[in-house]
Amino acid sequence: MGLYLNPEKESFRQACNGIYVDKTGMIDYVNSTIGTPAKLNCFSRPRRFGKSFAAKMLCAYYDKNCDSRELFEGLKISKMDSFEKYLNKYDVIYLDITRFISTVGSLNDVVKRLQADVIEELKSAYPLYVKEDEKALANALFAISHKTGNKFVVIIDEWDALFCEAKDDDNLQKEYVQLLRGLFKGGTATDETIL
């Protein structure tokens, strides 16, 4: 379990302990896009509509380092044909962009810090496959996928926050777009991707 790689199910479990509205039908939709040209999904809603909660739900469902079956039993997804096929089958990368924005000294460091932090976790989990001096997250994911055959589900919460915070910084926006392009354009390591 890590902050970014396979964050497991505890956040979703805690959210389920309160008032819970079953949104697991979203999982069946995402499952239907895996391995298709429509594999990149963007779920947008107004503030306070549960996007972060949905992201944690998706992490808990796909994370291969945990068994989250009991969390989903009795919910809509457990009655769907795709439930067993994808349950806990992937490495999950979870990125909360607002967290990175709030923890860096300078906004200009967000993209570099994001990549460095996630790569550090990947090195711990896959020490044989990530170069010691690797700086590009897309390269690290590709190397792991190429050597192991593992695919990654990438879940980005508040993906557009950097555009709002750095609305006048073209260079930072370009750097962030390059990161996203590297992660998703080729699709080799992130064949099953959620955005």
Side-chain angles (χ1 to χ4, degrees):
M1 179 171 101
L3 287 175
Y4 317 109
L5 176 64
N6 298 323
E8 290 196 3
K9 60 188 179 182
E10 293 313 309
S11 293
F12 181 60
R13 179 190 307 280
Q14 290 169 2
C16 287
N17 288 335
I19 297 172
Y20 176 69
V21 176
D22 187 350
K23 295 183 180 181
T24 60
M26 175 191 289
I27 296 170
D28 190 54
Y29 171 76
V30 172
N31 286 347
S32 75
T33 68
I34 291 177
T36 73
K39 65 186 175 188
L40 298 175
N41 295 285
C42 180
F43 298 101
S44 62
R45 294 281 183 266
R47 292 182 58 74
R48 314 301 328 149
F49 262 69
K51 295 181 299 294
S52 294
F53 176 75
K56 291 171 184 169
M57 173 188 71
L58 292 168
C59 287
Y61 175 78
Y62 290 108
D63 184 347
K64 73 177 190 176
N65 282 353
C66 68
D67 180 0
S68 58
R69 179 179 314 280
E70 34 88 25
L71 282 175
F72 293 99
E73 285 178 352
L75 300 177
K76 288 177 192 172
I77 187 61
S78 68
K79 297 164 185 60
M80 307 284 188
D81 292 338
S82 69
F83 178 63
E84 294 290 336
K85 184 175 182 180
Y86 299 108
L87 178 67
N88 302 129
K89 300 286 193 233
Y90 295 96
D91 275 317
V92 173
I93 301 288
Y94 173 71
L95 305 173
D96 179 349
I97 301 305
T98 56
R99 181 188 175 286
F100 284 103
I101 289 171
S102 67
T103 59
V104 294
S106 166
L107 212 53
N108 289 322
D109 295 332
V110 170
V111 177
K112 288 176 191 69
R113 173 76 176 273
L114 180 156
Q115 292 188 92
D117 287 359
V118 177
I119 288 169
E120 275 307 305
E121 283 196 14
L122 290 169
K123 285 179 187 174
S124 294
Y126 293 99
L128 301 176
Y129 308 121
V130 181
K131 293 181 200 171
E132 190 56 40
D133 62 344
E134 185 60 70
K135 303 267 190 270
L137 179 56
N139 290 346
L141 294 176
F142 177 77
I144 294 166
S145 182
H146 180 71
K147 298 274 180 22
T148 66
N150 293 356
K151 300 289 184 180
F152 291 84
V153 170
V154 178
I155 299 171
I156 304 177
D157 195 7
E158 302 282 350
W159 76 272
D160 60 341
L162 196 55
F163 293 107
C164 296
E165 292 292 322
K167 59 182 169 255
D168 297 324
D169 190 337
D170 290 341
N171 291 331
L172 181 56
Q173 289 182 13
K174 286 177 186 174
E175 184 181 11
Y176 184 51
V177 168
Q178 283 299 106
L179 168 66
L180 296 176
R181 187 175 288 136
L183 290 174
F184 304 124
K185 180 118 173 138
T188 308
T190 55
D191 200 31
E192 286 74 18
T193 306
I194 300 159
L195 174 62

